[in-house]
């Protein structure tokens, strides 16, 4: 990967993220769930962000090999993957996982500790990846994942507030958004 390639990926990421957030917001308001295009744009953003994270590893820009940082990165990746799997497993139906239909507000299990365990797990996974194979561009991977998750959370929470009203409001008061 080159610096030019990474800059192009960042620009594409920002454009795709804006389009996905816009499409998700429209879908949630009009259909009370995501359309197929909403799911595809949402997935596309995650794929591009993950690709950016992986390609940033291979840019020869002052790679720092540190065994402690590498080990911590592997631990973060494992914790992140575990959190994502728990959150997805608790959602159950694929329609709920992809936001096509939200029939219930998840507030038990891992959702008792964080309102967004899948996103928290994703950020931990990307952060672990960046820590394990650290270079200057790993910071871009971390920042872009934080930006991605925060924007998507705002769109989703607005939808959940409309759909579940006071139940969602009470849940937000009792449970942290992230950690």
């Amino acid at each position: 990967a080159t610096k030019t390639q990474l800059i192009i990926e960042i620009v594409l990421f920002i454009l795709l993220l804006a389009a996905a957030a816009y499409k998700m917001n429209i879908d949630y308001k009009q259909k009370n769930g995501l359309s197929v295009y909403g799911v595809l744009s949402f997935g596309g953003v995650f794929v591009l962000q993950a690709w950016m994270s992986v390609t940033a590893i291979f840019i020869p820009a002052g790679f720092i090999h540190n065994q402690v940082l590498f080990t911590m990165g592997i631990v973060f990746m494992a914790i992140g993957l575990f959190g994502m799997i728990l959150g997805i497993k608790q959602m159950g139906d694929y329609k709920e996982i992809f936001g096509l239909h939200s029939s219930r507000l998840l507030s038990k299990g891992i959702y008792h500790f964080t309102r967004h365990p899948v996103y928290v797990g994703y950020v931990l996974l990307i952060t672990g990846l960046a820590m394990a194979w650290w270079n200057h561009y790993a910071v871009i991977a971390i920042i872009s994942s934080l930006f991605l998750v925060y924007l998507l959370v705002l769109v989703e929470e607005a939808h959940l507030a409309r759909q579940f009203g006071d139940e969602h409001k009470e849940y937000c008061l009792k449970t942290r958004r992230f950690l």
Side-chain angles (χ1 to χ4, degrees):
T2 65
K3 291 179 184 181
T4 304
Q5 180 183 351
L6 188 62
I7 290 168
I8 291 169
E9 289 172 357
I10 291 169
V11 170
L12 284 173
F13 169 74
I14 291 168
L15 292 173
L16 188 56
L17 178 60
Y22 177 77
K23 180 63 178 151
M24 288 173 64
N25 201 24
I26 298 256
D27 283 355
Y28 279 140
K29 285 181 180 175
Q30 292 178 350
K31 301 175 185 193
N32 205 28
L34 292 180
S35 67
V36 172
Y37 295 115
V39 171
L40 290 175
S41 64
F42 176 77
V45 170
F46 274 99
V47 168
L48 182 58
Q49 199 282 323
W51 176 255
M52 286 171 48
S53 301
V54 170
T55 57
I57 292 168
F58 299 107
I59 294 176
F63 176 76
I64 300 169
H65 181 70
N66 178 318
Q67 192 60 40
V68 173
L69 198 58
F70 180 81
T71 304
M72 287 175 52
I74 298 298
V75 170
F76 270 56
M77 286 190 286
I79 293 169
L81 188 59
F82 182 70
M84 288 176 69
I85 290 169
L86 280 178
I88 290 170
K89 185 171 173 34
Q90 195 169 334
M91 275 187 229
D93 187 346
Y94 81 93
K95 289 182 179 181
E96 298 222 15
I97 292 170
F98 290 109
L100 296 170
H101 177 69
S102 299
S103 61
R104 61 198 162 101
L105 183 65
L106 298 173
S107 59
K108 305 237 184 299
I110 196 166
Y111 288 88
H112 175 75
F113 303 101
T114 174
R115 298 194 309 253
H116 303 282
V118 176
Y119 291 149
V120 170
Y122 180 75
V123 169
L124 287 173
L125 182 73
I126 296 299
T127 302
L129 184 70
M131 289 170 68
W133 290 276
W134 190 260
N135 68 35
H136 299 54
Y137 299 101
V139 175
I140 293 171
I142 296 169
I143 291 170
S144 65
S145 68
L146 291 171
F147 185 68
L148 164 68
V149 165
Y150 189 72
L151 185 59
L152 294 176
V153 161
L154 293 179
V155 171
E156 283 187 12
E157 286 194 349
H159 164 66
L160 292 172
R162 282 190 301 273
Q163 185 169 1
F164 295 107
D166 289 339
E167 182 184 4
H168 183 262
K169 191 176 196 177
E170 184 179 319
Y171 174 57
C172 290
L173 291 173
K174 291 191 295 188
T175 307
R176 292 180 180 195
R177 179 178 278 162
F178 298 114
L179 290 177

